[in-house]
Amino acid sequence: MAKTALVVGASGIIGSATATLLVQEGWTVHGLARRPVEQDGVTPVVADLQDAAGTAAALADIDPDAVFLTTWLRQDSEAENIRVNAAMVKNLLDGLRPTDKARHVALVTGLKHYLGPFEAYGKGALPQTPFREEQGRLDVANFYYAQEDEVFAAAARDGFTWSVHRPHTVIGKAVGNAMNMGTTLAVYATLCRETGRPFRFPGSTAQWEGLTDMTSASQLAQHLLWAATTPAAANEDFNVVNGDVFRWKWMWVEIAAWFGLEPAPFDGTVVPLADQMQGDDQLWRQIAARENLAEPDLSRLSSPWHTDADLGRPIEVVTDMSKSRRMGFTAYQPTDDAFFDLFERLRADRLIP
């Protein structure tokens, strides 16, 4: 039987990939966003999740079999992150009318579950790596935990099943996204090639030398669909990564080569992208005009602060996926392929020259 999905945050990196996969699999897909973008096969739903009444009105005629929560709003403090993002989840789940059908709600969070929020990122007493689901929560306020608690409370009230998905840094395409390492690095490489600046790794020695992993948006979308349709995955939390591990000192060379650049030697000095790319807005507008690019606003393509946070971490971060593997999820995506696929798509969509 055909199934209906509600993808919340459908214009983002994760939401757009999830909506695309669901359409391909024959689902009826509703894509909720404050400012929906046109997506083949996706019915747009305009709603601001901070507005409880408006959200309920927007959802009045939608009765999904599965809900995929892939959005959040960044605030100035973790206390505000908790207040705003927990309320958004509550307003969404309150706004979905009760139903007799089986329903599944999938929530996407991330490795800040183990690393802590941005205010305490990678600091204090952290669980050992590889991160495993049974390591549980840190003793620190975290908006991911608040989001989870809203899902758990609504599930107990309304009887739906849930899953929580914790990707590492996600590689995918979305314009205007707040956390977008892949496109940020593509823009940075383009600026280096344009100006002759050195293409230098901006982060820490721990990240340059240590092992790490990442998550492609397509891999995460497959994991979300798998959990929503696999009875054994109900009411479970999962890590989800591509399945390979790498060191940035290798990946940086691969990315440089794709853009025709020579990587600068790394001397252990942290030189944040936020500093390196400061003041490049006008230069990007000039490149966009000359190359007829689709997006001249640098701030809608790059998020240096987020890339700096990930690449500047003082610890090695790798993720265990044994829980999903034991339950039958076997998809795999080499991370270098994920980067190169993204770069090709950005070029085809005229977002980079």
Side-chain angles (χ1 to χ4, degrees):
M1 293 178 61
K3 291 190 174 184
T4 299
L6 174 65
V7 179
V8 183
S11 59
I13 290 176
I14 300 166
S16 60
T18 302
T20 297
L21 176 62
L22 291 167
V23 169
Q24 292 171 352
E25 294 295 319
W27 288 55
T28 298
V29 181
H30 301 270
L32 186 151
R34 285 178 298 166
R35 293 179 293 274
V37 297
E38 184 176 345
Q39 295 172 269
D40 290 343
V42 178
T43 301
V45 179
V46 180
D48 181 348
L49 295 183
Q50 296 182 86
D51 177 358
T55 298
L59 298 175
D61 297 324
I62 301 173
D63 189 13
D65 298 276
V67 179
F68 301 91
L69 258 163
T70 72
T71 189
W72 72 290
L73 283 178
R74 186 188 181 204
Q75 305 299 311
D76 291 336
S77 69
E78 193 60 18
E80 278 298 288
N81 277 333
I82 291 169
R83 184 185 68 81
V84 170
N85 290 284
M88 288 167 59
V89 174
K90 184 178 189 303
N91 291 341
L92 173 80
L93 298 178
D94 286 351
L96 288 167
R97 62 186 175 87
T99 178
D100 292 332
K101 71 166 65 171
R103 176 176 287 165
H104 184 83
V105 174
L107 171 68
V108 178
T109 61
L111 293 196
K112 288 190 291 297
H113 181 92
Y114 308 107
L115 286 162
F118 287 121
E119 291 179 4
Y121 197 48
K123 300 175 183 176
L126 301 177
Q128 67 178 19
T129 57
F131 292 140
R132 301 175 186 273
E133 294 91 345
E134 63 266 24
Q135 290 168 323
R137 295 179 174 184
L138 300 174
D139 186 19
V140 62
N142 189 322
F143 83 87
Y144 283 169
Y145 307 160
Q147 288 181 308
E148 288 181 346
D149 288 343
E150 291 296 342
V151 171
F152 300 158
R157 178 192 69 202
D158 296 337
F160 58 76
T161 61
W162 55 265
S163 57
V164 174
H165 304 255
R166 299 180 187 130
H168 200 162
T169 305
V170 177
I171 303 170
K173 181 204 165 189
V175 176
N177 194 271
M179 300 194 298
N180 193 340
M181 179 189 285
T183 305
T184 297
L185 293 181
V187 168
Y188 172 61
T190 301
L191 290 167
C192 288
R193 189 174 59 195
E194 175 77 12
T195 61
R197 297 178 199 163
F199 184 66
R200 49 188 304 176
F201 182 72
S204 67
T205 299
Q207 294 303 304
W208 181 256
E209 298 284 351
L211 290 171
T212 194
D213 48 29
M214 293 184 73
T215 309
S216 72
S218 60
Q219 173 86 339
L220 179 50
Q222 291 181 69
H223 196 261
L224 287 162
L225 177 57
W226 166 79
T229 55
T230 301
N235 304 328
E236 297 284 352
D237 54 352
F238 297 102
N239 298 329
V240 51
V241 287
N242 289 335
D244 64 339
V245 294
F246 64 92
R247 302 181 199 276
W248 272 106
K249 66 181 181 181
W250 173 80
M251 186 66 77
W252 201 251
V253 174
E254 299 299 305
I255 292 174
W258 197 93
F259 286 95
L261 297 168
E262 285 291 329
F266 179 68
D267 64 3
T269 304
V270 176
V271 187
L273 289 181
D275 295 339
Q276 294 192 56
M277 298 173 68
Q278 188 174 17
D280 281 337
D281 301 73
Q282 185 56 38
L283 174 58
W284 186 258
R285 289 187 181 279
Q286 293 170 3
I287 296 171
R290 186 188 71 215
E291 303 291 339
N292 192 30
L293 300 183
E295 181 52 72
D297 186 346
L298 182 62
S299 67
R300 286 181 50 75
L301 294 176
S302 65
S303 50
W305 67 272
H306 176 256
T307 301
D308 287 338
D310 275 5
L311 297 184
R313 290 184 299 218
I315 59 172
E316 179 179 88
V317 176
V318 286
T319 314
D320 181 77
M321 265 195 75
S322 297
K323 187 174 184 179
S324 294
R325 302 302 188 205
R326 290 187 180 111
M327 290 185 180
F329 182 79
T330 58
Y332 171 86
Q333 170 72 54
T335 300
D336 49 336
D337 287 356
F339 271 121
F340 302 155
D341 290 348
L342 170 64
F343 299 157
E344 292 284 4
R345 187 178 176 194
L346 294 176
R347 183 167 285 172
D349 291 346
R350 296 187 300 106
L351 291 169
I352 61 171

